[in-house]
Amino acid sequence: MARKPTPPGTPQATSVGHIVDLVRGAVPPLHPAGLPFVLAPLGVAVLGRNRKWVRRGALTSAAACAAFFRHPHRVPPNRVGVAVAPADGEVALVDSAVPPSELDMGTEPLPRVSIFLSVLDVHVQRSPVGGEVTKVVHRPGKFLSADLSDASEVNERNSMLLHTAEGHDVAVVQIAGLLARRIVCDAKVGDTLPIGDTYGLIRFGSRVDTYFPAGTTLLAERGQRTIGAETVIAQLP
């Protein structure tokens, strides 16, 4: 396997340091929200270390939670006027729809891209564009399967509105799913988010809808796999 090129002038790493760097590059860091879910089964593994089935079950649970809450490093594109996928997953809808009423974006349908996240996908959410957070609204609701069309309307959701430097409003909506019972949004009104910046997380299985201003060219296709912060899904007007 080819190695990542080392910039000129980089000090020679020791063998131990080189191994540590390789591990860091191969194993994604853990999102802070996942720490309790990893530490709890590890504690059970320690307490039950004399019982093989308890120890193995707890370690397996800790590993599964660590995989779910992984937070890999991503590099957004430097193209002007593009929007990136706010999440890893599969594009479920590429259409036009009325944005959530709580964002006061009007009643006219706007271009929308909907991404479905399975329990195996990375579950952190990232800002699709760079801009100022002007609204963050959480709305309680049901927990239907996130791949159903009605989920956008009736499921629990957290809606965030971003205002770009070019004057565009872009909304990104975290939608809870059948197994997702907790939406985390760290962004607050007044924050300025760079494109691709991590702002939240949904556990466990969910959907993220992005609404764009009229005149946006949608570049995503149904069934396409997206990489959060890196896959370009739209060109703003």
Side-chain angles (χ1 to χ4, degrees):
M1 179 183 296
R3 288 167 46 189
K4 181 180 179 181
T6 302
T10 302
Q12 184 68 32
T14 63
S15 57
V16 175
H18 183 58
I19 292 174
V20 171
D21 288 341
L22 289 175
V23 171
R24 285 178 177 173
V27 179
L30 183 71
H31 190 279
L35 283 174
F37 294 87
V38 175
L39 294 178
L42 286 179
V44 173
V46 172
L47 294 175
R49 59 186 178 277
N50 295 327
R51 297 192 177 187
K52 184 183 297 185
W53 64 272
V54 173
R55 184 177 69 251
R56 289 182 176 177
L59 290 175
T60 299
S61 177
C65 287
F68 179 85
F69 286 100
R70 64 195 185 277
H71 186 195
H73 175 67
R74 297 286 166 76
V75 181
N78 57 7
R79 291 165 52 187
V80 177
V82 299
V84 297
D88 290 31
E90 180 179 332
V91 176
L93 294 171
V94 179
D95 59 4
S96 295
V98 177
S101 58
E102 60 266 26
L103 293 179
D104 297 322
M105 296 179 71
T107 58
E108 293 297 319
L110 294 176
R112 176 180 67 170
V113 174
S114 179
I115 298 173
F116 175 73
L117 295 74
S118 76
V119 293
L120 300 178
D121 287 311
V122 174
H123 268 64
V124 298
Q125 278 77 62
R126 304 170 190 267
S127 178
V129 295
E132 181 185 356
V133 179
T134 57
K135 285 188 179 182
V136 178
V137 184
H138 179 267
R139 201 198 77 167
K142 299 180 180 179
F143 296 97
L144 302 179
S145 179
D147 59 348
L148 298 177
S149 58
D150 290 345
S152 293
E153 293 293 329
V154 301
N155 278 23
E156 179 171 337
R157 66 185 183 232
N158 188 84
S159 303
M160 180 175 72
L161 187 62
L162 292 161
H163 188 71
T164 72
E166 295 75 26
H168 299 304
D169 287 326
V170 176
V172 59
V173 185
Q174 300 164 285
I175 302 172
L178 188 63
L179 298 178
R181 299 295 170 126
R182 182 76 170 92
I183 296 176
V184 177
C185 179
D186 297 321
K188 298 177 178 60
V189 173
D191 289 350
T192 298
L193 301 182
I195 185 172
D197 195 43
T198 299
Y199 77 90
L201 176 144
I202 315 176
R203 357 181 260 256
F204 292 89
S206 46
R207 173 173 159 181
V208 181
D209 289 356
T210 308
Y211 295 84
F212 299 99
T216 295
T217 301
L218 299 182
L219 303 176
E221 299 284 347
R222 285 192 63 180
Q224 175 185 357
R225 294 289 304 176
T226 61
I227 299 175
E230 294 187 350
T231 302
V232 175
I233 60 172
Q235 178 74 50
L236 300 180

